[in-house]
Amino acid sequence: MALQNVVRGIFRLLILAKTQRLTRVSRDQERTMPARFDLRFRCFDAFHLPHQLLYEDFAKNASISDSLEDSLNVLEFAQEALKDGVDILDKLLAQEGQGDPATWAVAIAQAGPDGLRGLKKVAVANQLAVRILRQALVQASQSPTPLDKLPVKATL
């Protein structure tokens, strides 16, 4: 659950960065996005979800307008998802070594090769990125400097 929240927050952050043209996505990357999406979320095929996760659905839901209000809303949702992930990770880390070892092993395996602490570092770093991007958006709306000229560039 923590991993799911962190990934949800990061995807929202990336959607906003792409919409605001803060990230550069080459044609080759754009063309391979459906295959990369399928590979990334293949593990969810084992679950019985209401419908299959498709890149086309993600792309349709990922498009947002350039308005400041929409951008701030996306950042708020990203921050909430990341905070929920950090809260779950904090609870898990507080119980480290306690309880059922099998449950603990599953939580560690789901967190990836860097474990729960590594996932928490990723979540906290992205929370910081959300705050910086929020400041940059508000600053850009109040100044004639375009957002892509402010020091918040990233590449995928």
Side-chain angles (χ1 to χ4, degrees):
M1 186 104 165
L3 178 63
Q4 188 178 26
N5 281 316
V6 172
V7 170
R8 185 178 295 132
I10 291 171
F11 265 118
R12 288 181 174 149
L13 184 58
L14 287 173
I15 289 165
L16 180 71
K18 186 176 180 231
T19 302
Q20 294 291 336
R21 291 172 286 294
L22 297 173
T23 58
R24 307 277 188 243
V25 180
S26 71
R27 280 189 222 130
D28 290 336
Q29 288 173 321
E30 194 72 44
R31 192 176 64 242
T32 61
M33 285 288 198
R36 293 165 71 190
F37 182 89
D38 289 342
L39 288 172
R40 169 93 17 115
F41 294 102
R42 181 178 291 165
C43 61
F44 289 110
D45 289 346
F47 299 104
H48 297 287
L49 300 174
H51 68 282
Q52 185 179 5
L53 298 173
L54 300 173
Y55 177 76
E56 292 76 21
D57 295 333
F58 168 75
K60 188 183 345 174
N61 291 324
S63 60
I64 61 171
S65 72
D66 284 340
S67 78
L68 177 64
E69 183 180 344
D70 284 351
S71 297
L72 292 176
N73 284 338
V74 169
L75 284 177
E76 181 181 331
F77 292 134
Q79 189 75 291
E80 286 175 17
L82 290 165
K83 182 188 177 309
D84 291 346
V86 168
D87 290 346
I88 292 168
L89 288 166
D90 284 341
K91 288 177 186 173
L92 286 172
L93 289 168
Q95 298 172 358
E96 188 172 9
Q98 300 172 1
D100 180 27
T103 303
W104 191 241
V106 169
I108 292 171
Q110 288 177 342
D114 292 329
L116 298 175
R117 284 182 179 78
L119 183 57
K120 184 177 177 182
K121 284 180 185 178
V122 168
V124 170
N126 280 283
Q127 284 180 309
L128 179 60
V130 167
R131 284 190 215 117
I132 291 169
L133 194 50
R134 181 188 315 273
Q135 278 183 326
L137 284 169
V138 171
Q139 184 181 15
S141 72
Q142 296 169 351
S143 95
T145 306
L147 185 59
D148 63 350
K149 301 296 183 210
L150 293 171
V152 290
K153 285 225 186 247
T155 57
L156 283 178

